């Protein structure tokens, strides 16, 4: 469902006129903010298959720090693979990575990683150990949330129904009771809708079973 359609679904439930663009007026802009807030909540509740992505870091000899371009800071790691040597890399804490660099400096195929800050674009940096001694293709399989929707035609990746219900609940809470559905009832609809969407998805992808209502 497109961003503009999501906003109009919320406006209809509020008994407001639909708009041609999210930026048509101040109220529709605010509903757009609620839709994006709700999107983030739904994204954070579960490892949705639609958000799965793979980012690659191609190593260079003697360089241990790399940027995961396009990662941002909200991603969740599924696994990290050294594609060339068929090694599953293990994440270790910063203190352990520091000790390895200081006391057991080694070069070779990486099999440890540690996230180490961000660059000026807000993308996450990662350190690898041992320090690569050549070219390796390191693949990060991650759950990568969708960027904030700003264009009317942007298509939502996660299930749309819980996003609509949560944005509606937020809008009701913002303007108070108006004779329609109470915000607490709308939040209950959101939680039910989210649980249903997760149940359907987990039935297709049985390896994903952990979730939380946020």
């Amino acid at each position: 469902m497109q961003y503009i359609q999501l906003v109009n679904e919320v406006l209809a439930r509020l008994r407001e006129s639909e708009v041609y663009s999210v930026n048509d007026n101040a109220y529709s802009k605010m509903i757009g903010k609620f839709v994006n807030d709700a999107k983030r909540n739904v994204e954070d509740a579960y490892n949705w298959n639609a958000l799965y992505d793979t980012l690659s870091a191609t190593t260079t000899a003697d360089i241990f720090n790399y940027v995961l371009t396009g990662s941002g800071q909200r991603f969740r790691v599924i696994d990290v693979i050294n594609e060339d040597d068929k090694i599953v890399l293990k994440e270790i804490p910063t203190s352990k990575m520091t000790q390895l660099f200081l006391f057991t400096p080694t070069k070779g195929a990486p099999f440890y990683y540690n996230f180490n800050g961000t660059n000026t674009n807000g993308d996450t940096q990662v350190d690898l150990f041992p320090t690569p001694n050549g070219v390796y293709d390191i693949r990060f399989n991650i759950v990568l949330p969708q960027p904030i929707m700003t264009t009317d035609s942007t298509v939502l990746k996660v299930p749309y129904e819980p996003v609509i219900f949560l944005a509606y609940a937020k809008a009701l809470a913002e303007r108070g009771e108006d004779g329609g559905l109470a915000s607490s009832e709308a939040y209950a609809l959101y939680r039910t809708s989210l649980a249903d969407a997760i149940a359907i998805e987990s039935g297709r992808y049985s390896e994903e079973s952990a979730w939380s209502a946020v």
Side-chain angles (χ1 to χ4, degrees):
M1 183 173 283
Q2 293 182 345
Y3 184 31
I4 182 62
Q5 293 173 309
L6 294 163
V7 168
N8 279 328
E9 285 284 345
V10 177
L11 288 171
R13 285 167 170 77
L14 293 166
R15 303 189 301 281
E16 298 284 348
S17 298
E18 295 186 358
V19 293
Y20 292 104
S21 172
V22 175
N23 294 321
D24 272 2
N25 56 63
Y27 194 67
S28 62
K29 287 181 182 179
M30 183 178 70
I31 297 302
K33 298 288 187 183
F34 290 150
V35 166
N36 272 305
D37 291 345
K39 176 186 78 69
R40 176 166 184 158
N41 284 120
V42 172
E43 289 172 339
D44 290 346
Y46 188 72
N47 287 343
W48 303 102
N49 187 262
L51 301 180
Y52 280 29
D53 203 348
T54 299
L55 301 181
S56 294
T58 301
T59 68
T60 301
D62 301 327
I63 303 297
F64 66 85
N65 179 266
Y66 298 87
V67 175
L68 295 181
T69 304
S71 65
Q73 300 171 47
R74 291 182 53 223
F75 66 92
R76 299 187 292 277
V77 175
I78 302 168
D79 55 32
V80 180
I81 308 293
N82 177 339
E83 185 71 16
D84 297 286
D85 291 352
K86 311 305 179 188
I87 298 171
V88 178
L89 274 68
K90 180 181 179 181
E91 183 178 15
I92 59 175
T94 300
S95 58
K96 177 64 175 179
M97 182 68 81
T98 301
Q99 291 173 17
L100 289 173
F101 279 130
L102 287 176
F103 302 116
T104 55
T106 306
K107 295 181 182 180
F111 50 87
Y112 292 126
Y113 73 95
N114 170 256
F115 295 118
N116 186 9
T118 59
N119 70 354
T120 55
N121 293 323
D123 287 328
T124 298
Q125 299 179 141
V126 61
D127 291 342
L128 302 176
F129 187 89
T131 299
N133 62 348
V135 177
Y136 298 93
D137 185 15
I138 310 299
R139 295 184 179 272
F140 291 77
N141 295 313
I142 62 175
V143 179
L144 183 62
Q146 186 177 7
I148 292 174
M149 296 183 291
T150 57
T151 304
D152 291 341
S153 60
T154 300
V155 176
L156 179 71
K157 290 185 176 181
V158 296
Y160 64 84
E161 195 171 64
V163 172
I164 291 171
F165 281 134
L166 183 54
Y168 175 46
K170 291 176 181 290
L172 285 175
E174 186 276 333
R175 76 177 185 181
E177 305 300 329
D178 66 349
L181 197 68
S183 60
S184 60
E185 294 173 301
Y187 277 112
L189 285 174
Y190 155 67
R191 287 190 290 269
T192 299
S193 177
L194 178 64
D196 288 346
I198 289 173
I200 292 170
E201 175 119 346
S202 62
R204 290 198 299 267
Y205 310 103
S206 58
E207 73 276 7
E208 299 295 345
S209 59
W211 68 280
S212 59
V214 294

